[in-house]
Amino acid sequence: MENAAKKAQEVFRRVETKYILTPAEFKALLALIVPYIEKDRYFKATNCSVYYDTDSRYLAIHSMEKPMYKEKVRVRSYNVPKSLDDPVFIEIKKKYAGIGNKRRITTTLGEFYHYEKTGKLETENPQIKAELDHCFKFYCLRPALYVAYDRLSFCGKNDGHFRLTFDQNVRSREQDLKLEHGDKGENYFRNGEIVMEVKALNAYPIWFTRALSNLKIYPASFSKYGRIYEKITERSIYVPINIDR
C-alpha cells in the first residue's frame, strides 16, 4: 500500500471537455482515431464513486447552475473493493473558468472509514488533507449518491498529456452507499449513450479535431453527479396536501 501511494498521482490540472456519444458515433470516432492513440496504463476499469454533499444537496444544485467556480468531494475506487485493505482515493475536484483541478489522497477503504468517523488520516500530503478537512467540516458532508461506470482510457501516442476516456453504462443508486457493496445501480441513459471526456493541457491534436468535425460531434455540458441528481429530482412527484374542510 505504501508503494502504491507514492506512485499514485495526487494533483491534476487540465482542461476537461465532455461529449455525449451515441454507440454509432463512438464506433465511428474510434475507427478514425485509432492510429493516433494507445491504451492508457489503466485501460479498462469500473470506476466506483460515492459523492458527498450537504443534506440539502448544495454541491449538486450549485454544479447544475454552471457557476464560474464549483467543487465536489468523493471517494473513488477502481473496480469494487473486496476488502478494507483495498486502495481508494479521496478526491476534491474543483473547476474554475473551465480549468479543472483534482487533488486526491490514496489510502485504503478501512482507513477512509476511520477518517470519516474521526477526521484522522495518515498521509504524506498534509495540504490535501487540510483541504479535505475543511470541505467535510464546512459543508457537513454526508454520503449522497453512488455512481459507477465502465471506463476505457486512451492517451495520444505522441502526447501522453492528451487523454480520452469513454464511460459506458453510467449507473447510480441513492441507497446502500458503500463502495464494497457492488456496482449495481439504475442506468442513467436509455439508449446506451457514452460519455467521452477529453483531457488536455493544450490545444487538441489536428487529427482529433478533424475526426470531431467529420462526425459533427460537439461538446456537451455534463456532470454525472449533477445530472443524475437532476433526474432524481425531476421524477419526484409532489403530492399536495388536501386542506379542504
Side-chain angles (χ1 to χ4, degrees):
M1 177 61 207
E2 182 179 354
N3 291 334
K6 289 181 179 178
K7 293 180 181 178
Q9 187 176 351
E10 293 185 326
V11 179
F12 304 77
R13 185 178 187 275
R14 58 206 175 192
V15 176
E16 298 181 354
T17 308
K18 296 180 182 178
Y19 303 76
I20 307 300
L21 309 180
T22 66
E25 288 173 333
F26 168 63
K27 184 177 180 179
L29 178 63
L30 211 56
L32 289 177
I33 66 176
V34 70
Y36 309 100
I37 60 176
E38 59 188 10
K39 294 178 181 179
D40 193 54
R41 178 183 177 188
Y42 302 104
F43 166 62
K44 189 175 183 180
T46 296
N47 287 11
C48 310
S49 298
V50 174
Y51 286 84
Y52 280 68
D53 209 332
T54 68
D55 289 339
S56 63
R57 302 299 184 265
Y58 169 78
L59 295 181
I61 296 169
H62 185 61
S63 174
M64 290 187 294
E65 294 172 347
K66 299 181 176 63
M68 181 70 71
Y69 171 82
K70 60 182 179 179
E71 60 187 347
K72 53 191 170 185
V73 177
R74 67 191 178 200
V75 58
R76 163 170 290 187
S77 66
Y78 296 100
N79 301 311
V80 177
K82 296 180 179 179
S83 77
L84 293 177
D85 293 325
D86 282 354
V88 299
F89 302 90
I90 317 173
E91 301 181 341
I92 307 173
K93 286 199 73 175
K94 303 179 181 182
K95 193 170 187 179
Y96 177 76
I99 305 296
N101 286 273
K102 182 169 73 172
R103 300 165 71 77
R104 70 184 186 185
I105 289 177
T106 309
T107 185
T108 66
L109 183 61
E111 289 169 345
F112 168 71
Y113 286 146
H114 180 70
Y115 170 72
E116 193 177 26
K117 291 179 180 179
T118 68
K120 297 179 180 179
L121 180 68
E122 291 187 11
T123 175
E124 295 180 357
N125 199 319
Q127 175 59 40
I128 297 179
K129 181 181 181 297
E131 294 179 31
L132 282 167
D133 291 345
H134 173 76
C135 285
F136 271 91
K137 292 176 182 177
F138 180 78
Y139 292 114
C140 297
L141 295 179
R142 301 286 186 273
L145 187 71
Y146 176 95
V147 178
Y149 45 87
D150 304 316
R151 169 168 284 187
L152 300 178
S153 300
F154 299 89
C155 59
K157 284 184 177 179
N158 298 316
D159 182 3
H161 294 295
F162 180 77
R163 298 187 65 244
L164 292 172
T165 58
F166 299 92
D167 298 338
Q168 306 175 72
N169 304 317
V170 177
R171 52 202 184 272
S172 66
R173 60 178 186 257
E174 297 178 79
Q175 306 297 327
D176 196 15
L177 303 180
K178 297 287 187 179
L179 291 173
E180 68 271 27
H181 288 181
D183 62 355
K184 62 186 179 296
E186 178 184 354
N187 281 358
Y188 175 82
F189 293 109
R190 293 183 177 179
N191 301 309
E193 290 90 342
I194 296 153
V195 180
M196 177 176 70
E197 293 187 25
V198 184
K199 303 166 186 181
L201 292 178
N202 303 303
Y204 288 177
I206 188 66
W207 51 265
F208 187 67
T209 303
R210 286 174 177 167
L212 294 179
S213 178
N214 288 342
L215 297 173
K216 295 181 172 56
I217 294 174
Y218 305 104
S221 176
F222 187 84
S223 163
K224 294 184 184 73
Y225 177 43
R227 285 295 186 88
I228 291 172
Y229 174 74
E230 185 177 37
K231 182 178 181 180
I232 291 170
T233 56
E234 283 179 351
R235 72 185 180 202
S236 296
I237 300 175
Y238 172 68
V239 180
I241 300 174
N242 187 351
I243 60 174
D244 291 341
R245 295 286 190 264

